[in-house]
Every structure is written in C-alpha cells, then in structure tokens.
C-alpha cells in the first residue's frame, strides 16, 4: 500500500477550514446552530471547523457508513443516531467527503423527518464525478477528482485517519 505525497497540505486544509467557518459564522448569526458531525470520517474536519466558528452552537454526532474498504456497498448502515432535539434547531450536517451522495442523502432525509427549523450541509471534499444521488451542498471545501483519498479523518480500512494532510491512496498491485 502506498500513501503518497500530500494532495492537500496542512496549510491548504487549515486555510479552507477557516474560510468555511467564516461563511458559516456569518450565516448563522442569531440562529440556533446544531452542528452534526458524520462519523467516523468527519471527526477531524468537524473538530477543526467548530473551533473556528464564532457563533454559539451545540454539537451532536451521527455514525453511519456505506463503505466496505474502498468500494461503496450502496447501503447505508446507521450505528448511532443524533441525541439532540432538532425541532428548534438550525442543523448543519458536517461531512468529510461526498462521493455517490447515498450516505448524505440518507442522513439528510432522516434528519428532515425530525422537523428541524432548517437543514444545511457542509462537506469538506466533493467528488462530483461519482454522484448518483443529488444532495444540496451549501458549503464545500474542495471539489476533487475521482481518486480515493486518505488522511484528515479519511480512512482505508479504518487506518490513516490520523494523517494531518490528505493524500491519494494507491493499492500496490
Ligand atoms: P457516498 O455515500 O457519498 O458514496 O460515500 C460517502 C462516504 O464514503 C464518506 O463519508 C466516506 O466515508 C466514504 N468515502 C467516499 N470517498 C472516499 C475516499 O476517497 N476516501 C475515503 N477514505 N473514504 C471515502
């Protein structure tokens, strides 16, 4: 297995997270922000993002997965649901990467059924080429090509999540 040079460096990542946090801070002034991190992959991005957001917020998490190794299974498994009441909340879903859109679409519809005051989505990476289900993305860090990436919370087989940068992952054949 090869994890190559940074595809997105620590500096590029931090600069982008700051920009996203600035936009979110401006948009959520005087709102009741509930930031929902989608685990496991978004845990690093989420913790950077919420620390740069300058409006009050509450936190919650949802644990869902549609992936087996680097191939999507197309099925979403929910392992942990949010615990906060969403009725008077402006929910912001925070995702690491959107690929086919299946996971995010499932989570979005699930939260919408709980009747939040508003629901928006922030995704750090967007692989637009691979989209199968359209999901409205309100804040996007980087649009990236169709490559499998690891680091900054993103894994291969639950490894490499602790890399501080994002790298394209190649399997040695
Ligand atoms: P989707 O349901 O949009 O196809 O897949 C979303 C999930 O698949 C992400 O939350 C992430 O866990 C995983 N995923 C999609 N593309 C990649 C990738 O390039 N690298 C890694 N590590 N995970 C990915």
């Amino acid at each position: 297995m090869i994890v190559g040079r940074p595809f997105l460096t620590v500096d590029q990542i931090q600069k982008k997270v700051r920009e996203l946090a600035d936009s979110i801070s401006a948009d959520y002034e005087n709102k009741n922000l509930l930031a929902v991190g989608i685990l496991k992959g978004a845990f690093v991005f989420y913790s950077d993002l919420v620390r740069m957001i300058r409006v009050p917020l509450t936190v919650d998490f949802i644990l869902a997965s549609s992936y087996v190794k680097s191939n999507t299974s197309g099925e979403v498994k929910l392992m942990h649901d949010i615990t906060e009441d969403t009725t008077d909340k402006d929910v912001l879903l925070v995702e690491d990467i959107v690929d086919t859109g299946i996971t995010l679409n499932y989570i979005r519809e699930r939260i919408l059924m709980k009747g939040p005051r508003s629901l928006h989505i922030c995704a750090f990476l967007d692989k637009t080429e691979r989209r199968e289900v359209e999901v409205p993305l309100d804040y996007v860090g980087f649009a990236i090509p169709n490559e499998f990436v690891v680091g900054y919370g993103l894994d291969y087989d639950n490894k490499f999540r602790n890399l501080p940068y994002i790298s394209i992952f190649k399997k040695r054949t």
Side-chain angles (χ1 to χ4, degrees):
M1 292 178 229
I2 307 166
V3 178
R5 285 181 295 123
F7 170 67
L8 291 169
T9 65
V10 172
D11 285 353
Q12 285 172 308
I13 290 169
Q14 291 307 309
K15 185 167 175 277
K16 187 59 76 177
V17 177
R18 169 78 59 196
E19 285 169 17
L20 291 169
D22 286 349
S23 302
I24 293 164
S25 301
D27 295 348
Y28 282 83
E29 221 173 317
N30 303 318
K31 295 210 170 146
N32 196 4
L33 174 57
L34 170 64
V36 176
I38 301 176
L39 299 174
K40 297 177 184 172
F43 81 106
V44 180
F45 170 49
Y46 180 90
S47 63
D48 279 352
L49 185 72
V50 294
R51 283 178 296 166
M52 289 186 195
I53 292 176
R54 297 181 313 276
V55 295
L57 58 80
T58 46
V59 304
D60 208 344
F61 299 94
I62 193 163
L63 174 55
S65 162
S66 73
Y67 257 66
V68 179
K69 300 255 173 103
S70 57
N71 302 306
T72 181
S73 68
E75 264 178 48
V76 181
K77 240 189 359 198
L78 182 79
M79 279 83 87
H80 173 78
D81 204 353
I82 57 169
T83 56
E84 291 290 310
D85 180 8
T86 57
T87 43
D88 61 341
K89 300 282 187 354
D90 296 296
V91 175
L92 180 67
L93 285 176
V94 179
E95 176 65 305
D96 52 356
I97 185 165
V98 190
D99 188 21
T100 62
I102 291 169
T103 311
L104 201 49
N105 185 55
Y106 170 88
I107 292 170
R108 178 175 177 269
E109 294 198 339
R110 196 179 167 85
I111 306 262
L112 280 176
M113 282 193 312
K114 296 176 191 280
R117 196 153 68 186
S118 67
L119 175 59
H120 291 94
I121 297 175
C122 175
F124 193 59
L125 302 176
D126 183 7
K127 271 200 225 173
T128 52
E129 260 177 74
R130 298 244 314 156
R131 197 72 89 253
E132 288 176 25
V133 184
E134 276 319 310
V135 199
L137 303 181
D138 304 283
Y139 308 92
V140 175
F142 297 95
I144 64 162
N146 183 14
E147 299 277 5
F148 194 82
V149 290
V150 294
Y152 199 59
L154 290 152
D155 74 311
Y156 173 78
D157 208 12
N158 214 8
K159 298 186 179 75
F160 309 112
R161 293 191 194 274
N162 59 324
L163 283 180
Y165 54 86
I166 291 170
S167 186
I168 292 174
F169 178 81
K170 303 266 182 227
K171 232 169 148 180
R172 210 188 289 272
T173 49

